[in-house]
Amino acid sequence: MLLNKQIGRSCLTLRLTLGLMVAPGLAHAQLEDPTKPVIDRPAIFDSRPYVELGGSYENLTNNYKPWDAQYLDVLLPMKQYGLLYTQVQNANRFDQSDQSIYANYAYPTRYGVVNVEGGYTHNPFFLAKELYGAGWVGKLPQQFNYFLSARQSNYTDGDTVNQNIGLDKYIGSLRLAYLATYSTLNHQRSGWLSKYQVQWFGRDRSEEH
């Protein structure tokens, strides 16, 4: 936190996204079972798989060397069987490099979406050595959603735990959200942090959630 106050940052991010062809066996496995009721799940579970290659470059002031990172993202939607997202990343900061892997699996139910996540960094310098968490996004009347989640991140010099509770609503192409986070650093409580968001997607997404 102190470092962020002492330096200024400007960021450049480049991305290349490629669609994936689904293997015949996997495509067959994704067929809906006509004997079971269809769950009204978010549209992302029925989207196409993709692979994204990307990188970022952050220029720092006060004679600090730039930060940069390269990553590979894979998104594999599997309809009623859930969704798998993975990321492999190489990050460079402070003349040091960290290589990490992260995975998140989400599963749709009649009442909402449950997800679990985990990550690992080999011989870390600044990224979390291990992280794991779980979350739930539930449905409310009037197309409101609520979400609950928790994550623990283990660093070489300490541990953090974040607990989140929030609410959001899509209105046409707009998303309005409120998030409250309770953080603990090395078992020392730091209190609640509130966050408000307004996002515009350029198209109507109210029917996708």
Side-chain angles (χ1 to χ4, degrees):
M1 296 298 294
L2 180 61
L3 176 63
N4 289 334
K5 296 179 181 179
Q6 293 177 337
I7 62 176
R9 298 165 61 185
S10 57
C11 180
L12 174 65
T13 302
L14 300 176
R15 294 187 177 94
L16 173 63
T17 303
L18 305 173
L20 288 179
M21 296 298 292
V22 180
L26 181 58
H28 178 74
Q30 291 183 356
L31 295 177
E32 300 281 1
D33 185 345
T35 65
K36 297 181 179 179
V38 177
I39 295 175
D40 184 20
R41 57 183 174 259
I44 191 172
F45 289 93
D46 298 281
S47 61
R48 295 187 61 181
Y50 74 81
V51 172
E52 181 175 293
L53 297 171
S56 64
Y57 178 88
E58 299 184 59
N59 187 45
L60 309 181
T61 60
N62 292 347
N63 297 319
Y64 286 97
K65 290 188 176 180
W67 296 354
D68 66 87
Q70 304 79 41
Y71 65 86
L72 169 67
D73 288 359
V74 179
L75 181 72
L76 182 60
M78 297 176 286
K79 298 188 177 181
Q80 76 271 29
Y81 299 108
L83 178 150
L84 179 64
Y85 167 79
T86 60
Q87 181 187 76
V88 179
Q89 177 184 215
N90 176 71
N92 302 297
R93 301 176 187 174
F94 316 112
D95 291 325
Q96 298 171 324
S97 296
D98 278 1
Q99 292 78 40
S100 65
I101 184 169
Y102 171 83
N104 188 308
Y105 174 74
Y107 182 80
T109 72
R110 184 178 303 277
Y111 304 104
V113 176
V114 61
N115 75 282
V116 293
E117 62 174 349
Y120 176 78
T121 302
H122 174 67
N123 193 26
F125 293 103
F126 48 86
L127 297 179
K129 180 178 181 180
E130 301 167 342
L131 70 85
Y132 47 89
W136 168 261
V137 180
K139 301 176 183 179
L140 293 173
Q142 303 299 319
Q143 294 186 327
F144 279 92
N145 303 299
Y146 69 94
F147 37 95
L148 307 168
S149 66
R151 171 191 281 188
Q152 175 162 333
S153 302
N154 302 326
Y155 294 87
T156 55
D157 57 353
D159 302 331
T160 63
V161 178
N162 289 330
Q163 301 170 5
N164 307 292
I165 182 171
L167 186 73
D168 76 355
K169 178 177 175 61
Y170 287 84
I171 304 175
S173 59
L174 286 177
R175 176 180 180 263
L176 308 178
Y178 169 76
L179 176 68
T181 300
Y182 189 84
S183 299
T184 303
L185 173 61
N186 292 333
H187 308 290
Q188 300 295 319
R189 300 176 181 178
S190 62
W192 289 95
L193 172 68
S194 294
K195 184 178 183 180
Y196 301 87
Q197 287 183 315
V198 178
Q199 293 176 286
W200 180 69
F201 292 93
R203 60 187 177 90
D204 191 336
R205 300 193 61 179
S206 59
E207 300 300 323
E208 299 180 9
H209 297 266

